[in-house]
Amino acid sequence: MLEDLSIHSIVRWGPMRDCFIVNNLSEFSKTVLPRIFRHSNFASFVRQLNKYDFHKINQTEFNQAGEQTPMFRHRYFHGDRPGDLKNIKRKLIANGPALLSSQANMVVEIAQCAEDNEDMKRRIRGLESDQDAMRLELDRVGSAIALRNEQMQDLKDILGALGGG
């Protein structure tokens, strides 16, 4: 998402590539969230970020409309260190001052994995749909090229007949 220059005006890396900035909250919710996360609720997106220990940065940056832009950071989320992404884990739920028992932690982990699995399945279905649309567009372009080639050959034949006649 952050490497996609076509949405750079909506969401992008911060200047040091150690955080990301949502430049246009309404466009992010309307176009980016549904395409990548299959929902359009920014508050839900922020809750998920919090579950993975991302933090909102209190630096002030403004977009072109003069609105403040939310910025989020995680110590293992850096544009120049993609290998660190494996260290981003969902936070364990605390029960009062003590952590849940290891057995309960496993149940929570399994539920989280199931939720992540469903999210991945939704994303894969979206990617498959995008791939189908690209195949159709490639077929259309291929047909248009074939038609142009036929027209060029017809034109060459006519010019050859005129020159040779």
Side-chain angles (χ1 to χ4, degrees):
M1 165 180 82
L2 297 173
E3 302 299 333
D4 184 351
L5 295 179
S6 70
I7 59 173
H8 186 78
S9 64
I10 300 171
V11 61
R12 64 180 170 82
W13 282 110
M16 303 298 291
R17 294 176 58 87
D18 63 343
C19 67
F20 69 94
I21 303 168
V22 180
N23 291 321
N24 187 325
L25 198 62
S26 63
E27 278 302 307
F28 182 76
S29 296
K30 191 169 34 173
T31 60
V32 177
L33 283 178
R35 187 177 79 187
I36 296 175
F37 300 102
R38 306 292 177 238
H39 67 80
S40 60
N41 187 331
F42 185 73
S44 175
F45 174 71
V46 171
R47 274 193 300 278
Q48 287 298 315
L49 288 175
N50 289 332
K51 286 180 182 181
Y52 285 88
D53 208 25
F54 277 78
H55 300 283
K56 189 172 181 185
I57 303 169
N58 290 326
Q59 294 175 350
T60 304
E61 192 164 307
F62 296 91
N63 62 16
Q64 291 177 342
E67 303 161 329
Q68 239 182 320
T69 58
M71 301 166 72
F72 298 92
R73 176 178 287 143
H74 188 287
R75 69 182 177 157
Y76 293 120
F77 189 74
H78 197 284
D80 299 327
R81 295 191 309 266
D84 284 355
L85 291 175
K86 67 182 179 294
N87 296 319
I88 298 176
K89 308 274 190 230
R90 193 166 172 151
K91 291 191 294 188
L92 296 177
I93 300 169
N95 187 6
L99 287 178
L100 296 172
S101 71
S102 62
Q103 202 171 32
N105 281 341
M106 287 190 339
V107 170
V108 169
E109 291 276 335
I110 290 168
Q112 291 167 351
C113 287
E115 181 182 320
D116 292 345
N117 188 35
E118 287 304 312
D119 185 50
M120 286 295 186
K121 285 179 183 178
R122 282 190 296 275
R123 292 175 71 184
I124 288 169
R125 283 193 297 272
L127 291 171
E128 288 170 342
S129 175
D130 293 347
Q131 188 178 25
D132 290 343
M134 285 184 213
R135 279 193 188 111
L136 288 172
E137 181 64 13
L138 281 172
D139 288 346
R140 187 192 66 74
V141 168
S143 296
I145 289 171
L147 178 61
R148 294 284 188 256
N149 286 340
E150 288 175 24
Q151 292 171 339
M152 290 295 292
Q153 187 58 49
D154 291 345
L155 186 57
K156 285 179 184 178
D157 292 346
I158 291 170
L159 289 174
L162 289 175

